[in-house]
Amino acid sequence: MTTTFDFSGRTALVTGAASGLGLAMARAFSGAGARLVLFDLDEAGVNRAAEQLNADRPGTVAALSGSITDPAAVEAACAAALAFGGRLDVVMNNAGISGNAPSLDLDEATWRRAIDVNLSGAFFVAQAAGRIMAEQGGGSIVNTASMYGVVAAPERAAYCAAKAGVVALTKVLAIEWAARNIRVNAIAPGYVRTALTETLVSQGRLDLDVLNARVPAGRLGTPEEIATASLFLASDASAYVTGQTLVADGGWSSYSYL
Ligand SMILES: NC(=O)c1ccc[n+]([C@@H]2O[C@H](COP(=O)([O-])OP(=O)(O)OC[C@H]3O[C@@H](n4cnc5c(N)ncnc54)[C@H](O)[C@@H]3O)[C@@H](O)[C@H]2O)c1
C-alpha cells in the first residue's frame, strides 16, 4: 500500500496490528518507509503480519505479543521500538474490543473488560510512549477512538464510555505534552469491516444492510481509508494539529434525520 506520506527514517509502534485497522495501519506505514514494531495479544497473528511486511522490506518490522492492559508489557514494547529504531517517533494506539450488550443485561466482567482494554490500555500505551518521546524531544501519538466516542448508540454503554474517554484523554495529553513537542490526536472511525464488526454481525448485533442504508456514503469504510487518515495525523502534514479527533465515518455522525 502506498500513501502520500513519507515516514522513512521514522519508527512507529502499532498496537492491535495483527488484524483490521491496525494491520492496515502497519501496511500503510511500511509503504511509507517506516520501521515498525507491531504489538498484539494475538501472537501468531502479529508474527504473521510482521513476516508479510518483512517479505517486502526485509528487516524493517519486529513483532511482540502482549496485552495493552499490562503496563509492564506495554513498557517493554515501547522500549523494544526504541531499541529497534533508535527513536520512537509515532505510536498508533489502536488495539480495542467491542463488548456490546443491552445496558440492563451488561455484566460486570464485560463492562470492566471494555473499559480496561479500550480506555485504561490506551492510557498505558500513551503514557509509556509519552515518557520516551518527552526524553527524545518529541513524537506523535494517534489514539483510535470511534465515532461512538462522539455520538452514541444503544447497547454500547461500556464501549461509548471508553471511547468518549479516549477522546478526552487525547485532549488532556495533547495540552500537557504540547510544550514537549509531542502531538496527541485521535482517529474516530465509523463502521469498517474488520474482525470486530464481523463478530457483531455473526452475533446478530449488526445488520450490514441497515448500516449501508444509514451511512450517507452508502457503504462501510475500508481499513485502508482509516489507515491513510491516521497517517495524516501521525505525519508532519498535521504539525500544528493536536488534541483533535478526526471522525472518518462516511458522514454518519453528521446525519441526524433517521
Ligand atoms: N471496525 C470498526 O468498525 C471500528 C469502528 C470504530 C472504531 N474501531 C476501533 O478500531 C480499533 C481496531 O479495531 P478493529 O476493527 O481493527 O478490530 P480487530 O478485532 O480486527 O483488531 C483488533 C486487534 O487488537 C488486538 N487486541 C485486542 N485486545 C488487545 C489487548 N488487550 N492488547 C493487545 N492487543 C489487543 C486483537 O488481537 C486484534 O488483532 C479498536 O480500537 C476499535 O474499537 C473499529
Side-chain angles (χ1 to χ4, degrees):
M1 181 177 171
T2 54
T3 77
T4 49
F5 303 107
D6 181 8
F7 283 89
S8 42
R10 309 258 174 117
T11 305
L13 171 70
V14 183
T15 72
S19 170
L21 305 186
L23 181 57
M25 288 172 188
R27 288 185 176 134
F29 272 106
S30 183
R35 289 172 74 79
L36 286 168
V37 173
L38 312 183
F39 185 74
D40 202 292
L41 203 51
D42 173 0
E43 185 173 7
V46 78
N47 286 335
R48 197 164 48 241
E51 262 172 46
Q52 286 169 1
L53 293 175
N54 275 324
D56 291 337
R57 295 176 58 235
T60 57
V61 183
L64 278 175
S65 65
S67 176
I68 59 166
T69 60
D70 174 358
V74 164
E75 261 179 55
C78 290
L82 183 61
F84 188 62
R87 286 178 59 82
L88 177 54
D89 299 291
V90 170
V91 171
M92 306 307 279
N93 194 1
N94 165 77
I97 57 172
S98 58
N100 298 7
S103 296
L104 293 176
D105 305 331
L106 182 61
D107 60 86
E108 182 184 343
T110 305
W111 168 269
R112 288 192 187 280
R113 184 88 193 126
I115 300 292
D116 199 25
V117 174
N118 292 326
L119 182 54
S120 304
F123 175 70
F124 297 143
V125 172
Q127 185 186 48
R131 285 174 175 154
I132 290 173
M133 289 173 174
E135 183 76 19
Q136 76 187 6
S140 180
I141 297 173
V142 180
N143 300 320
T144 302
S146 167
M147 71 175 177
Y148 285 149
V150 180
V151 295
E155 304 191 358
R156 287 160 178 79
Y159 188 79
C160 287
K163 293 298 188 178
V166 171
V167 171
L169 183 65
T170 300
K171 295 180 194 175
V172 173
L173 299 182
I175 55 182
E176 269 193 59
W177 297 346
R180 296 174 182 272
N181 199 30
I182 301 169
R183 295 188 302 112
V184 187
N185 291 292
I187 182 81
Y191 282 106
V192 181
R193 275 192 97 153
T194 64
L196 185 143
T197 39
E198 292 300 335
T199 304
L200 295 172
V201 169
S202 67
Q203 290 171 347
R205 294 187 184 279
L206 278 187
D207 180 328
L208 290 175
D209 292 335
V210 172
L211 295 185
N212 287 330
R214 166 64 177 81
V215 67
R219 62 173 178 85
L220 273 60
T222 67
E224 292 71 27
E225 286 169 330
I226 303 305
T228 50
S230 311
L231 255 68
F232 163 69
L233 291 174
S235 77
D236 294 344
S238 61
Y240 199 57
V241 179
T242 197
Q244 297 303 304
T245 294
L246 175 59
V247 183
D249 66 354
W252 181 292
S253 60
S254 300
Y255 183 69
S256 59
Y257 177 60
L258 283 177

